[in-house]
Amino acid sequence: MTVALSMPENTKVPAATSAGTDDLIELGRISGAYGVRGWVKVQPHSAQADVLLSLPEWRMARSAAPAKAGQGPTPAPSFASTAIYKVQTSRPQGATVVAQLAGIADRDQAEALRGMAIYAPRSVFPEPEDDEFYWVDLIGCTLYGEQDGAPVLLGLVEGVLDNGAHSVLRVARQNLNAAGEPETVLDAKGRPAEVLVPFVQAHVHTVDIANRRIDSDWPLDY
């Protein structure tokens, strides 16, 4: 059980702002020029970069600088000022992706794109393999754990981390109030409580993306 597309914790998933920008996901950022013929180098938010390599064109915008730890997500760019570049060719280059974009013919033009973020609609992502899930699909799912052999609400998935060995769900703790509605659980200092749950088959039993539900055996009092 793996995450097909993992992203930094501060990656922004922007809401729709105009026609054609629904469900745009940031896939990576241009880190500079590659060679002298106008190729660009991209640092993808995915170890495999499958989505970037599958796209015939890239929608790009210049985002704000990444947020520092504890300062919240990176602000979304203005999609009124995005540019769309046709991808003439692209390929993996170590941990990066290099590409030749239409209209970018020399190193200076490629360097001018440094820092641009690349976006694509979720609808164009390749279908993941069995037991493989996209980061963006896990966010917002309700996670259930186990207590005395019965499912119990743990909380809402707010992020996916990578510890090198496997992915970890960052879950905002919730419980059900007297009306049967979820409410935030606070820690001893009055802050929203969190729990980290390894996203591995040993603990995560079912992932139902359609119903936004994940079932695990993670104990309520861990």
Side-chain angles (χ1 to χ4, degrees), residues 12-222:
K12 182 68 175 181
V13 180
T17 57
S18 62
T21 64
D22 293 4
D23 302 321
L24 286 176
I25 307 300
E26 183 181 322
L27 302 178
R29 298 195 181 194
I30 293 179
S31 59
Y34 177 77
V36 297
R37 298 184 178 180
W39 285 57
V40 295
K41 181 184 290 187
V42 179
Q43 185 61 55
H45 299 328
S46 168
Q48 299 171 341
D50 292 339
V51 179
L52 271 174
L53 293 168
S54 72
L55 296 176
E57 60 183 27
W58 291 350
R59 181 188 293 270
M60 304 196 316
R62 194 171 296 281
S63 291
K68 295 181 179 179
Q71 292 186 350
T74 301
S78 168
F79 286 101
S81 60
T82 56
I84 297 177
Y85 289 87
K86 184 175 294 296
V87 180
Q88 294 181 330
T89 185
S90 63
R91 68 171 189 264
Q93 182 71 27
T96 66
V97 167
V98 295
Q100 175 76 71
L101 305 179
I104 306 300
D106 59 42
R107 186 175 180 86
D108 289 342
Q109 289 178 310
E111 276 293 336
L113 298 177
R114 181 190 293 269
M116 295 284 278
I118 302 168
Y119 295 84
R122 170 62 183 84
S123 59
V124 305
F125 288 16
E127 284 300 311
E129 301 293 332
D130 292 342
D131 287 331
E132 190 175 55
F133 303 92
Y134 284 108
W135 173 93
V136 69
D137 292 338
L138 299 176
I139 301 303
C141 286
T142 300
L143 178 71
Y144 288 83
E146 189 174 285
Q147 187 175 43
D148 299 327
V152 59
L153 175 66
L154 274 181
L156 198 67
V157 179
E158 289 196 337
V160 180
L161 313 175
D162 185 355
N163 68 5
H166 54 74
S167 297
V168 179
L169 303 178
R170 183 173 62 82
V171 181
R173 283 281 291 113
Q174 295 178 327
N175 59 19
L176 298 179
N177 60 23
E181 299 173 342
E183 62 181 9
T184 300
V185 174
L186 303 180
D187 63 17
K189 295 183 178 180
R191 300 171 301 190
E194 291 186 349
V195 63
L196 300 178
V197 178
F199 191 66
V200 294
Q201 288 181 330
H203 296 296
V204 176
H205 299 154
T206 60
V207 179
D208 186 346
I209 297 297
N211 291 306
R212 314 299 294 150
R213 174 171 176 144
I214 301 173
D215 286 279
S216 75
D217 66 358
W218 205 247
L220 183 64
D221 56 354
Y222 188 83

